Amino acid sequence: ACGLPLLWWHSEALLPMAAMAALAAWGYSQPPLALKYRGAGEAVLFMAAGPALVLGLSWCFFGQWNLVLVSLGACLGLWTVALHHVGNLPDADQDREHRVSTLVTRLGFLRARLLVPVFYLVAWLSFLPAVAAAGLNPVYFFLLGLVLTPQIRLSLRLLRASGAASVWMAGIRARVRRVHWVSHLVALLVGHAHHLGDDRERQQERQDGGDERPAVVAEGVGVHLPGEGDGGGGQQQPDEHRAGVAHKDAGAKPVMR
């Protein structure tokens, strides 16, 4: 329902985005693509929930793309892959029975669990341009610390687990979901701050451009308005031809000799 106004105002951008999202959702599990059975499920999740989502929404709402949004989208995509990957760890045996190809089934539990901190580390490295563009505000670093702390705790918990039945895996899905939603909320706040910063820069540029005109007029550079000091053609007329200006010989009378 929230996307219906965008469908009316920006249908040329939203319709292709919705079509690609529907294709990714259908092709993830349904034949003939059945991407999750071919080992491409993580790549689809990364693109659909990461760069494609962020760039598509930015184009629909603000009509702009930039590298900062790409870095933000890459971070969100990696966080989504980490969420999906942690959820696959307890289901490795079932996925093998149904011939689902995931990173866990291909690498095994012990090696696959090592990818979780790697996903988070690469996500933070890709997130740095977005943080720098939003400004080095201490509030943002406090919010990012709220995200980084539970991610580290989750990674350490997984590193201690020796298998899917380990006590360290108890409630792991609920934990990773909480980490996921908090991380996305902070990332969206930083992205919104970056957009507000761009708006302030554009407004400042417009104000600076508006302040240059009075300065130019004050320096005496000719800026003539239509009908002021000319006859409509943009050229200065002699005083004797201007309305309201008496000619110097207008009052002279002939002298009779």
Side-chain angles (χ1 to χ4, degrees):
C2 296
L4 291 179
L6 289 177
L7 183 61
W8 177 261
W9 293 325
H10 300 285
S11 59
E12 71 285 353
L14 189 61
L15 287 178
M17 177 183 170
M20 289 187 292
L23 178 62
W26 171 77
Y28 179 77
S29 58
Q30 299 298 323
L33 295 179
L35 296 173
K36 75 174 184 178
Y37 297 98
R38 304 174 186 271
E42 288 82 2
V44 174
L45 284 175
F46 171 76
M47 290 302 300
L53 176 65
V54 174
L55 293 177
L57 291 177
S58 177
W59 182 257
C60 291
F61 279 101
F62 310 119
Q64 64 177 1
W65 289 349
N66 53 52
L67 293 178
V68 174
L69 294 174
V70 173
S71 68
L72 180 61
C75 179
L76 296 180
L78 288 170
W79 283 344
T80 303
V81 172
L83 169 70
H84 179 73
H85 183 68
V86 172
N88 288 335
L89 288 173
D91 298 335
D93 295 335
Q94 297 178 6
D95 289 339
R96 289 191 186 95
E97 292 177 1
H98 294 86
R99 297 181 180 180
V100 176
S101 179
T102 64
L103 291 174
V104 181
T105 58
R106 294 195 298 270
L107 298 176
F109 181 89
L110 293 179
R111 286 184 293 180
R113 66 195 173 101
L114 301 177
L115 291 179
V116 176
V118 173
F119 286 144
Y120 286 139
L121 176 61
V122 177
W124 279 108
L125 292 177
S126 65
F127 195 41
L128 291 179
V131 176
L136 302 179
N137 193 320
V139 176
Y140 297 139
F141 287 98
F142 173 74
L143 294 175
L144 297 177
L146 293 179
V147 176
L148 185 60
T149 301
Q151 288 180 353
I152 293 176
R153 295 179 60 184
L154 178 67
S155 300
L156 293 176
R157 189 178 185 88
L158 290 173
L159 293 177
R160 294 175 181 176
S162 58
S166 173
V167 65
W168 295 104
M169 295 296 294
I172 197 65
R173 285 193 174 94
R175 293 175 183 273
V176 73
R177 280 196 295 267
R178 288 195 297 267
V179 173
H180 178 76
W181 289 116
V182 173
S183 303
H184 274 63
L185 178 61
V186 173
L188 292 177
L189 290 176
V190 173
H192 182 62
H194 167 65
H195 175 68
L196 292 179
D198 287 346
D199 286 345
R200 285 194 295 267
E201 290 179 0
R202 286 193 292 267
Q203 292 176 1
Q204 186 63 35
E205 290 176 358
R206 286 195 294 266
Q207 292 177 358
D208 293 342
D211 293 342
E212 290 178 358
R213 180 180 175 88
V216 171
V217 175
E219 291 176 0
V221 178
V223 179
H224 301 287
L225 298 177
E228 178 180 313
D230 56 26
Q235 296 181 354
Q236 187 72 25
Q237 291 185 348
D239 290 343
E240 59 269 21
H241 295 163
R242 294 173 60 187
V245 178
H247 190 268
K248 60 182 180 179
D249 296 331
K253 296 182 179 181
V255 179
M256 299 298 296
R257 296 182 180 274

